[in-house]
Amino acid sequence: MRRIRLRGRAWLAIGAVVLGGAGVITAASVASGPEGTASSAASKGPVKTQVDALALKGTGGERELPQQRTDAFGTLGVTWDDPKEELDGTVQLRVRTQKTGKWSDWFGIETHNDDAPDAGAESAGRGGTPPLWVGWSDGVQARVRSDKGAAGLPKGMKLTLVGESDKKSSVDVAMAPAAFAVDAEDTASPSADPTVTASPSETTEPATTEPSTTEPSATESSAPASSAPASSSPPATSSPTASASTPPTSTVAKPPIVTRAGWGADESIREQTEPDYAPNGVQVVFVHHTATYNATTKSGDYSCSNSPSIIRQIYAYHVSQTWRDIGYNFLVDKCGTIYEGRYGGVDRPVVGAQTEGYNTGTAGIAVIGYFQTDKYVSKATPMTSQMLGSVSALATWKLGLKKIDPNPGTKSQTVNGKAFYPISGHRDGFATECPGTDLYAKVPTIRTYASAVAAPKLSSVKGATLSGTSYYTKGTATVSWTESTPTAVIKRFEVLVDGKVAATAKATATSAPITVAAGRHTVTVRAVHMSNKTATSASSYSVVGDTTKPTFTTAPSVKIRNATVSSTSVPVSVTWKAADTGALKSVAATAPSTATFGPTTTSWSTTGKVNTAVTYGLKATDAAGNYTTASVSRTAAILQETSATKSGTWSTKSSTSYLGGKSYTSSSKNASLTWTFTGRSVGWVVSRASTSGQAYVYVDGVKTATVDLKTSTTAYRQTIWSKSWSTSAKHTLKIVVVGTSGRPAITTDGITYVK
């Protein structure tokens, strides 16, 4: 057994056995928690990771690892002795997928790891490829080919596999014993707070627990930002300090962050010394990707339930390279969950191992995934609003600790002699594909999200009625909107009534109820950014508070209507006028039958039962929902021709088409019929044909009309003429035969009237 000294006083004890001709290195961890508050739901303690290093054998420009079964692992990478040496060649791998038991096709892995500590900042460590998540596997095969011939490969090449001790293998593979010890004088360790989330599985989605998140605080170095000129290559780095002073509060609120305890970090495997802190605080935030993809499907997509496990394995892989800890300060998955990365305090300027040459004075946010398509990946990790929003929220909070504008429009921040935007992509530091073409293209968008919020767009008002261009309500309504800025950077929404806040809503809300006073109001919605900058909807709603009932300015009345009469039913019209101080919505008939009319309608064609009092009910409703009712009771009656006083020659005609089976007819000029009745409306009922003649109509002795009965289609029991009064009184109705040339005859059934 040999021991490799980590930076500080900790030793990692490593034993080796032969497995299929390869050396195996394992590291078993002990349970000790990080500082900070852990989730009460996660109580099993840190998840123990297992790192196996399998030696690649061969000579000249080729190395290989024969196909073999292993303990379960999810992440792999190739490492070698000299961290300064590059692997100029091709690495090809195959894995046995644990879920299916099948071997994958050969796939490649990026040979250059662009995330690294600054020179001399940490242990010399090992060179290596980026860690690659391959999904849970229990077998592996590898082959490496140099691009430089026989002497082109680094020395000490190993295939590093990272798994978790609670992920069982499908075979019994002997593993080397391992132990962790500290020097006697290094007995102090962080306070235990064992917290862990469930280990994800490829076969079933695990039950998840609410992750632990940090409590809001703000501690960052308060030294001013550097203004040194930019340089094309990174010079020697500034020296970090071993502690940080207590700085001012951030200008923005801290977003929710899952603690190291929350994702199950095993604190015993990291270096146990005090972290390094940048003396001038964080000046720049670098956006990375973890280059995580499923090599067996060439897809960058993944389940967010696997994020804690992926992070734990990246952590273990970085430590296996003898970095002091995971290299990134923070990680964000595609679902927008933010995870604490390197130990030392999320609100402190912890020096990470994420952008070589620029680690001091910067923070690295690694987005889990692979954000471009190339020879390794045919389907990139999807770009999600949640992900971009969380990166933006985290960056603006972190920069807010130094009161740095996240989007000044210029490269305003200088780190190690080079100018950067406050939020930059990893490739802005030097030539690298990180954070991937797709994600790098979104860095300007991230800066925009980090600095401001887009104006909401109004979408609807519910609980109120639109009339014209205004919404009417008795006092309450619900205003809805849409928002293009991710919710992670939104502090809240405010609904403004006449410019004043009437309601507030959470960042995830898309609607809010309001109450308005009587009268007309202008309603807008304002989004509040986490920096307290605001943006108000460009359009507005006119909302009218209305508690006044409509009125019937003209009471309902009933009059005879020109239509076909039956022996039991008389056609009548109910008339009215309704008005409202706001907007009249409708008038509805409620009795003796139902119907709904528009606000400008003033009459209703219906019928009255002969010699029966009928109540006609109406309901006027305004746009706000206020309503009033009115009714009138009237009786319709029929006086047949036999009730009239005759003058001149009249004869009787019989037919079932006539009222009562009979009617009067006359062709004698000046022959007349006179009816006397008491009522407020009257109508004359006739039969009509193409040969029908004309008649004069006299009311109360005064000639009022000349009526022509001629029609192309024969019709019976027709009310052809009518007249109404505002009150009921005694009246006479007289009809006189005109004696029209060629068609003198008229035929009448009698009259109808309303009592």
Side-chain angles (χ1 to χ4, degrees), residues 278-301:
N280 292 325
V282 169
Q283 311 293 318
V284 173
V285 172
F286 283 113
V287 178
H288 301 258
H289 70 171
T290 61
T292 297
Y293 64 92
N294 188 327
T296 61
T297 61
K298 298 193 72 175
S299 172
D301 207 357

Side-chain angles (χ1 to χ4, degrees), residues 282 284-288 329-330 350 354 359 361-365 398:
V282 169
V284 173
V285 172
F286 283 113
V287 178
H288 301 258
N329 299 96
F330 302 93
V350 180
Q354 37 93 18
N359 283 311
T362 69
I365 302 174
K398 194 68 177 174

Side-chain angles (χ1 to χ4, degrees), residues 552-567:
F552 282 97
T553 55
T554 299
S557 64
V558 180
K559 64 181 181 180
I560 296 297
R561 174 170 60 92
N562 292 351
T564 302
V565 181
S566 75
S567 59

